[in-house]
Amino acid sequence: AMVLNLHKSLLDPLMSAETAQRLTESALVSTPDKQALTLARLVRQLQEDIWQEVRSGKTPDLLRRNLQREHLRRSLDMVVKPAANVPADARSLYRLQLEGLAGQLHMRLQTSGLAQETRAHYSESLASIRAALTAGMQRNG
């Protein structure tokens, strides 16, 4: 529980509507810089780092699965029920990343030798993504 709370406290500012808004607006006032943090880079890098076991084939332990669940919950919220101040680009970027993750999960589930906990976690995650991507967007606010 303590580690999950730490994960949540780290994800709070990174996946907030305010950060998405700030990074989206910063592109309007700054010159293109390959090193600059963009919303697209943040969303992509978070997902790649948090879900690295899907690509690597390693087995995520309980702490990693809980982090992945929390990241997925927040990503799905950005797509399905975003706060009123979430930029449209953020919703689009999260949707695109979720589509990619769904493909990766689907491919990983086709392989043999997954631990039962991992298979269940990936299967549930994939089902959640598919349901969210086909659901209508519910606007908060």
Side-chain angles (χ1 to χ4, degrees):
M2 287 186 342
V3 174
L4 182 57
N5 285 334
L6 177 62
H7 288 158
K8 287 179 180 182
S9 69
L10 292 171
L11 290 176
D12 281 344
L14 293 172
M15 297 183 76
S16 71
E18 293 76 19
T19 298
Q21 197 169 39
R22 198 172 314 121
L23 289 174
T24 301
E25 291 171 358
S26 71
L28 296 173
V29 295
S30 64
T31 58
D33 178 5
K34 293 184 184 216
Q35 300 302 317
L37 180 62
T38 63
L39 182 58
R41 179 178 282 168
L42 175 66
V43 171
R44 183 184 66 248
Q45 196 63 55
L46 272 175
Q47 183 164 299
E48 286 177 4
D49 291 347
I50 291 171
W51 291 89
Q52 63 184 280
E53 292 87 354
V54 176
R55 288 186 323 283
S56 72
K58 294 182 180 176
T59 300
D61 62 22
L62 175 62
L63 298 176
R64 292 288 298 176
R65 290 193 306 271
N66 285 340
L67 172 61
Q68 291 167 352
R69 285 183 187 102
E70 185 61 25
H71 175 264
L72 181 59
R73 183 188 65 76
R74 290 165 186 255
S75 296
L76 294 172
D77 283 351
M78 283 288 204
V79 172
V80 177
K81 51 181 179 177
N85 61 338
V86 170
D89 283 351
R91 292 190 309 270
S92 299
L93 288 166
Y94 276 97
R95 175 178 287 277
L96 180 67
Q97 289 301 309
L98 285 169
E99 289 170 352
L101 180 57
Q104 292 173 355
L105 289 167
H106 177 76
M107 293 296 291
R108 183 58 59 206
L109 285 165
Q110 303 307 309
T111 63
S112 60
L114 283 177
Q116 191 169 7
E117 294 87 352
T118 302
R119 182 169 298 283
H121 169 57
Y122 287 173
S123 181
E124 180 179 32
S125 298
L126 179 57
S128 296
I129 293 170
R130 286 179 173 162
L133 293 179
T134 57
M137 190 171 22
Q138 305 165 2
R139 273 304 243 163
N140 286 345

